Amino acid sequence: MLKRFRLEEPGSVREASELLAQFGDAAKLYAGGTELLLAMKEGLVHYERLVNVKTVPGLKEIKAENGIVRIGALATHHEIETSPLVRERLPAFAKLERNVANVRVREAGTIGGNLCFAEPHADPGTLLLVLEAQLVAAKAAGTRRIPAEAFFVDAYETSLEPDEVLTEIHIPVPTERSGVSYMKFGYLERPSVGVAVKLSLDGGAVQNVGIAVGCAGPAPRRVKEAEELLRGKTPDEALQLLPDAGRTAAKAAQAISDLHGSQEYKEHIVGVLLRRCFQDALNQCR
C-alpha cells in the first residue's frame, strides 16, 4: 500500500534544490519513479514529499559538444537507446540501454533516476566508469561535476549532497581504434554480474585500458590494478594475463552472496565476462 504523500511541482532546478533543502530527509526527488515508487509501495522507504522534476525544462536533451555526448538526466532509457547520436558515438552505451530491465522500465525510467537510486544490480554505472563520464549536479548555490568513479559510494548511496539535483551526464566519445564492451549475466530480471572494458591499440600495444565491475557487490567499481596488468602489453600478452586480471577484478567487485548467486559464483563469472569483454573490445579496435 502506497502511503499518502505530497507532490511538489518545481518549475526549475533551483526550485527543486530549494525544496530539498527546505524539507530535508522528508523529501525525495521523483523522476521516472520505477524504483522509488516500488520501494515506497513495499514500505521500504517513505517520504512526506516527492519533488517532481519530470516537467522541469531542459533536462531531457541529448546532444554532442566538443567531443562530449551530453545526456539530460531525465532522458529515458528508451530515448537513449534509440537516439541516433548515442548509437553513432556511443554504440556500447546504446546497446546497454536496449537491455535494461524490461520495456516498461525503459519507457518510464530515466538515466538520472537510475544513477541516483544507486540500486546495486543496475547496469549503466559500470559502463560509465570506464567511459570516464562526469555527472553534473546543480543546486541553488551553483553546479559541480562529479567523476563517475566518485559518484557511487555504496548500495543506494551516492556522493550527491542532500539538496543537489543531477542534471546531465557528460560522456567523452572514445577515440579511433578504441573498443568498448559491456556484458552481464543473470538468471533473474536484474543482472548478477556486469563487466565493462574499454581499451585502445597504440603501436601494437594495449593502451587506455578501463575495467569496471558491477552488480555483484554494493556498488560498481573501477579496477585499476587489473588495468595496470594489461596496459602496455601486446594483445597476445594481455590475453595471457587475463586470468590474473580476472581474479583481481573479482576481488575488487566485493561480491555478496544473495538470491543472484554466491560470492564464489559471482567472482567466477567476473573472470568469464572480463575475458569476453576484452576480446570484444580488442576486435573492435582491429
Side-chain angles (χ1 to χ4, degrees):
M1 176 69 71
L2 190 60
K3 296 181 180 179
R4 290 173 62 88
F5 61 87
R6 181 183 179 89
L7 189 65
E8 303 286 350
E9 299 276 2
S12 66
V13 170
R14 182 185 183 91
E15 288 182 27
S17 172
E18 290 172 345
L19 286 166
L20 291 174
Q22 179 182 352
F23 296 111
D25 292 341
K28 190 72 172 178
L29 286 179
Y30 171 59
T34 55
E35 300 272 20
L36 178 61
L37 291 182
L38 180 61
M40 291 177 67
K41 286 179 181 178
E42 293 294 327
L44 301 175
V45 295
H46 175 66
Y47 299 98
E48 296 175 4
R49 283 175 165 80
L50 294 186
V51 181
N52 181 19
V53 293
K54 290 196 291 185
T55 58
V56 173
L59 298 184
K60 290 179 68 73
E61 191 173 6
I62 300 175
K63 59 185 178 181
E65 186 177 273
N66 299 323
I68 303 290
V69 174
R70 299 172 56 173
I71 301 176
L74 291 184
T76 66
H77 299 294
H78 178 69
E79 288 168 340
I80 296 171
E81 70 160 288
T82 57
S83 164
L85 177 60
V86 177
R87 287 184 170 186
E88 177 189 353
R89 308 286 180 89
L90 300 168
F93 195 58
K95 180 181 178 182
L96 176 151
E97 291 284 25
R98 187 164 63 247
N99 292 292
V100 165
N102 54 53
V103 172
R104 182 190 67 81
V105 169
R106 293 195 294 273
E107 287 285 350
T110 64
I111 182 64
N114 179 285
L115 298 174
C116 292
F117 198 73
E119 209 284 335
H121 293 279
D123 293 298
T126 306
L127 183 53
L128 290 178
L129 287 178
V130 301
L131 290 173
E132 299 183 314
Q134 293 201 338
L135 290 78
V136 181
K139 60 180 182 178
T143 64
R144 66 177 177 129
R145 296 187 180 187
I146 309 170
E149 194 171 346
F151 185 79
F152 300 100
V153 177
D154 207 337
Y156 307 103
E157 182 182 355
T158 72
S159 59
L160 282 175
E161 296 176 1
D163 59 342
E164 281 187 319
V165 179
L166 180 64
T167 58
E168 279 189 318
I169 299 93
H170 292 184
I171 308 175
V173 177
T175 59
E176 292 185 4
R177 296 204 73 195
S178 292
V180 181
S181 181
Y182 174 78
M183 296 185 185
K184 63 181 177 179
F185 174 80
Y187 51 89
L188 300 175
E189 186 168 274
R190 297 183 186 276
S192 302
V193 178
V195 174
V197 171
K198 183 189 75 170
L199 60 87
S200 63
L201 288 180
D202 185 6
V206 174
Q207 302 292 350
N208 302 317
V209 186
I211 296 173
V213 293
C215 304
R221 292 286 182 257
R222 186 163 173 179
V223 192
K224 294 188 176 180
E225 298 89 344
E227 296 171 5
E228 288 300 323
L229 286 173
L230 307 179
R231 184 175 292 111
K233 305 297 191 296
T234 67
D236 287 343
E237 290 171 339
L239 288 170
Q240 292 295 318
L241 289 168
L242 280 180
D244 292 336
R247 285 187 287 270
T248 300
K251 184 178 295 185
Q254 298 179 323
I256 297 172
S257 297
D258 56 18
L259 291 175
H260 297 265
S262 68
Q263 174 187 340
E264 294 78 9
Y265 177 73
K266 292 180 181 180
E267 289 177 349
H268 172 72
I269 296 299
V270 167
V272 173
L273 292 184
L274 176 58
R275 183 175 67 250
R276 294 178 182 178
C277 282
F278 184 88
Q279 188 65 67
D280 181 39
L282 188 61
N283 292 340
Q284 293 175 41
C285 293
R286 289 168 169 168

